[in-house]
Amino acid sequence: LVLADISAKKTNQASVMLSTSQQLGSSFGVGVCAVWLGFFISQSSKADITVLGAYHQTFLVLAIMTLTTAYIFSRLAVDAGAVASGRAALT
């Protein structure tokens, strides 16, 4: 779907950019996870929360973030990837 509008001549360059953005996205995800975990661990001294509880809270926040993005992508049109897959668009 991402490379659907790219000409065959520029597909290689676009593929490199896509891979780079995926790696950056993964790094960003690890960073966000670390920030949330650090936040919950810092709160564990103020509340009755263990480090294990901080991990549980972090996973809960990440699950909510994942479900939010899944909802956003679920709103795409049914034939949104038709061009990329080589299938005809639904009418």
Side-chain angles (χ1 to χ4, degrees):
L1 186 59
V2 175
L3 301 176
D5 295 337
I6 306 297
S7 67
K9 191 176 186 180
K10 295 183 179 182
T11 303
N12 190 28
Q13 294 171 340
S15 177
V16 170
M17 291 299 292
L18 178 61
S19 293
T20 303
S21 66
Q22 287 175 337
Q23 289 296 322
L24 286 172
S26 295
S27 299
F28 181 74
V30 169
V32 167
C33 184
V35 167
W36 278 110
L37 184 59
F39 172 75
F40 288 128
I41 287 175
S42 72
Q43 298 300 309
S44 66
S45 62
K46 300 174 187 170
D48 189 25
I49 301 171
T50 63
V51 173
L52 182 60
Y55 274 94
H56 289 165
Q57 290 174 329
T58 302
F59 281 119
L60 179 63
V61 168
L62 294 176
I64 291 168
M65 291 172 65
T66 302
L67 290 173
T68 302
T69 58
Y71 171 73
I72 291 168
F73 285 116
S74 72
R75 299 183 69 203
L76 285 173
V78 176
D79 60 347
V83 174
S85 66
R87 289 182 277 149
L90 299 175
T91 56

